[in-house]
Amino acid sequence: MFGRRVMVVGTGYVGLTTGACLASLGHEVVCADIDAGKVERLRRGVVDIVEPDLAELVSEQTSAGRLSFVVGAGAALGAFEDSRPAEVLFLCVPTPMGAGGVADLRAVESVIEEVGAELAAGTVVVNKSTVPVGTAARTAELLERTDVAVVSNPEFLREGSAVKDFLGPDRIVVGSDNQDAAERVAALYARLGAPTVLTDAASAELMKYAANCFLAMKLSYVNAMAELCERVGADIGDVTEGIGYDRRIGQAFLSPGPGWGGSCLPKDTHALLQVADSADFEFRLLRATIDTNTRQRQRIVDKVRLAVTGKRTGSLSRVRLALLGLTFKAGTDDLRDSPALAIAALLRQAGADLVGFDPMLRGPGELDGITLASDAVEAAQGAEAVVVLTEWAEFRTLDWAEIAGVTKQPIVVDTRNIVDPATPRRAGLTAVGLGRQQDTVHQT
Ligand code: UGA
């Protein structure tokens, strides 16, 4: 069953990970991208995105002769050994959400225009991007080929652990109205031994949204619960540990934070709301999930204001704040829809002067009105509070005594609950977290 000829169009997060990982499973993979510079870099093993193990895997598989890169989908067609045709074509091109919840399929259209007529009979076209229900059907319409099947095979990998997630998936989902094509795609992953859900295309497409929106709901619930903990004198760490032992709930994805962000959860929650709207279904639970997340950002700003000024409202004019962590989560350099940046924008609106430090964005420099420092201590210089926004491991072991020596007010607001409050406290700082009994200063 192994050693299929696989063409992957698009070498973003999902496309490149898919290409490199499928090659590592023994398939012959040709990846195409329209960016000639990127293709040239990938041929040399240079990967532009920060993703553990990906560059190593690309180099390893390229050297092993199972992975190659070409410019443009057309070039991929003739790039397999002995000029044999591709058996599977993965579409991993951007499908941004357009107005009314309809995906903008221009990138898919242009690939189909370029190679659709050239595909060998029996080729399977696979959609891996997150797309609205009905996209597989629309892709089939665009293809106008009765001898080429379209399959939806959503990807569930996370940024920062893409390779690990791809090669150790919780499940594989393959949806198509053509059972044989679905089984052929599922067989590509057989070596992974993961549970496989074979379904129709619409269910596979919906499943991706259902998963991401459920995760978002879990986080909004935890963030709301953290707020309740503060009000009733409970501890969110203990509460989540306790509920997480219930296997129906699970320990994962229960950390409170500044709100969920990134390139997927915000986009997908809004997209599913639009899908629901267009199906005349008022998805109140999902709307509340999104609203809770929006409110969470303001709640963090209020918490900082109260800690620094002792007031629940009012300006933060001329208040200097050190922001630690700017990416949407640790382990990535991705700033898309980062809660840290959203909170920074609100703090700036309130008048604060912001100095930021992120391991992926070392200063000197400037980002969205935030002055970038080259380390946490430099960021903390003269600050009235140090606000931890991203859960980088190095923030757990900061030298709080050194930080306490340079700040104007000895306050830490930890929006990820990653700093053991005892450590800054020993250095004379007060530590405010989420959903736990706070130090001295004023509480929300
Ligand atoms: C998410 C999903 O987890 C993946 O399964 C999915 O494949 C991907 O979207 C996608 O659709 O492509 P990702 O966007 O990489 O992955 O990020 P997550 O690890 O899910 O984190 C999302 C947000 O939730 C981040 O802002 C993170 O800091 C926050 N988060 C996560 C918490 O606040 N607490 C947690 O316990 C976990």
Side-chain angles (χ1 to χ4, degrees):
M1 260 337 227
F2 285 97
R4 295 297 187 200
R5 291 180 302 282
V6 178
M7 175 172 158
V8 178
V9 182
T11 58
Y13 262 104
V14 171
L16 186 58
T17 309
T18 300
C21 290
L22 286 179
S24 79
L25 292 176
H27 303 293
E28 186 189 348
V29 181
V30 177
C31 289
D33 201 287
I34 46 171
D35 181 341
K38 191 174 183 186
V39 167
E40 190 269 324
R41 288 192 294 282
L42 286 169
R43 283 181 178 152
R44 287 189 282 118
V46 178
V47 171
D48 295 337
I49 49 179
V50 173
E51 197 55 65
D53 307 326
L54 189 54
E56 292 80 354
L57 198 63
V58 166
S59 298
E60 183 190 299
Q61 295 305 316
T62 308
S63 307
R66 281 189 292 269
L67 179 65
S68 57
F69 297 94
V70 295
V71 182
L77 285 178
F80 289 92
E81 216 173 293
D82 304 327
S83 303
R84 296 168 75 202
E87 294 161 283
V88 184
L89 159 56
F90 277 91
L91 290 170
C92 299
V93 291
T95 49
M97 194 59 56
V102 180
D104 175 351
L105 292 183
R106 273 176 297 183
V108 171
E109 275 167 31
S110 89
V111 176
I112 288 174
E113 205 169 290
E114 195 179 347
V115 299
E118 313 297 322
L119 296 173
T123 309
V124 182
V125 172
V126 185
N127 207 332
K128 235 185 179 349
S129 312
T130 308
V131 287
V133 179
T135 303
R138 176 85 190 106
T139 307
E141 269 169 34
L142 289 167
L143 256 173
E144 291 181 314
R145 295 271 309 255
T146 49
D147 58 346
V148 171
V150 178
V151 166
S152 166
N153 170 218
E155 181 49 57
F156 297 96
L157 61 81
R158 287 163 299 175
E159 288 184 25
S161 53
V163 171
K164 197 167 138 269
D165 289 349
F166 191 100
L167 294 175
D170 289 340
R171 76 310 210 176
I172 300 287
V173 173
V174 187
S176 179
D177 305 326
N178 179 326
Q179 181 78 9
D180 174 60
E183 281 171 11
R184 282 166 60 201
V185 172
L188 295 172
Y189 303 95
R191 271 193 183 173
L192 299 178
T196 300
V197 181
L198 287 180
T199 181
D200 59 275
S203 301
E205 287 165 342
L206 189 60
M207 220 178 286
K208 175 63 199 244
Y209 288 116
N212 273 2
C213 293
F214 189 88
L215 292 171
M217 186 182 71
K218 201 173 179 188
L219 293 178
S220 280
Y221 180 81
V222 165
N223 285 333
M225 194 55 75
E227 183 168 356
L228 187 58
C229 282
E230 287 171 21
R231 289 172 190 248
V232 301
D235 185 279
I236 189 67
D238 292 348
V239 170
T240 51
E241 186 189 352
I243 63 171
Y245 284 122
D246 185 327
R247 274 168 296 177
R248 294 168 303 172
I249 297 172
Q251 295 283 357
F253 241 72
L254 283 183
S255 304
W260 36 270
S263 64
C264 304
L265 265 44
K267 169 176 74 66
D268 293 352
T269 43
H270 282 100
L272 189 59
L273 253 197
Q274 287 189 323
V275 170
D277 278 352
S278 58
D280 211 14
F281 172 58
E282 202 183 344
F283 205 152
R284 291 189 191 181
L285 186 57
L286 186 54
R287 193 170 289 285
T289 296
I290 296 170
D291 291 347
T292 302
N293 198 47
T294 309
R295 190 170 164 272
Q296 184 68 0
R297 293 162 186 204
Q298 188 58 50
R299 190 168 108 74
I300 300 295
V301 172
D302 295 346
K303 203 178 247 297
V304 172
R305 180 189 288 109
L306 188 64
V308 171
T309 67
K311 299 193 184 106
R312 287 178 194 279
T313 54
S315 159
L316 287 170
S317 177
R318 285 200 292 275
V319 170
R320 186 181 167 115
L321 299 170
L323 308 183
L324 300 190
L326 299 170
T327 54
F328 85 92
K329 64 175 181 179
T332 177
D333 62 347
D334 201 338
L335 294 165
R336 283 178 288 175
D337 231 320
S338 170
L341 294 184
I343 289 165
L346 292 172
L347 289 168
R348 231 181 22 255
Q349 264 172 34
D353 292 332
L354 306 177
V355 183
F357 166 68
D358 189 285
M360 290 289 156
L361 291 162
R362 287 178 198 273
E366 199 253 16
L367 174 80
D368 292 355
I370 307 165
T371 305
L372 297 178
S374 54
D375 59 41
V377 177
E378 186 187 318
Q381 203 86 39
E384 302 208 29
V386 174
V387 186
V388 178
L389 291 167
T390 308
E391 75 284 21
W392 289 104
E394 66 183 75
F395 297 156
R396 292 178 196 271
T397 52
L398 286 171
D399 184 341
W400 290 106
E402 196 180 357
I403 289 180
V406 299
T407 55
K408 189 166 167 199
Q409 279 206 82
I411 295 170
V412 187
V413 180
D414 177 8
T415 72
R416 297 277 185 170
N417 283 3
I418 55 158
V419 180
D420 173 4
T423 333
R425 204 176 288 148
R426 269 198 299 275
L429 293 123
T430 53
V432 177
L434 293 188
R436 61 186 190 208
Q437 293 322 291
Q438 321 288 359
D439 260 350
T440 52
V441 278
H442 343 271
Q443 294 192 27
T444 41

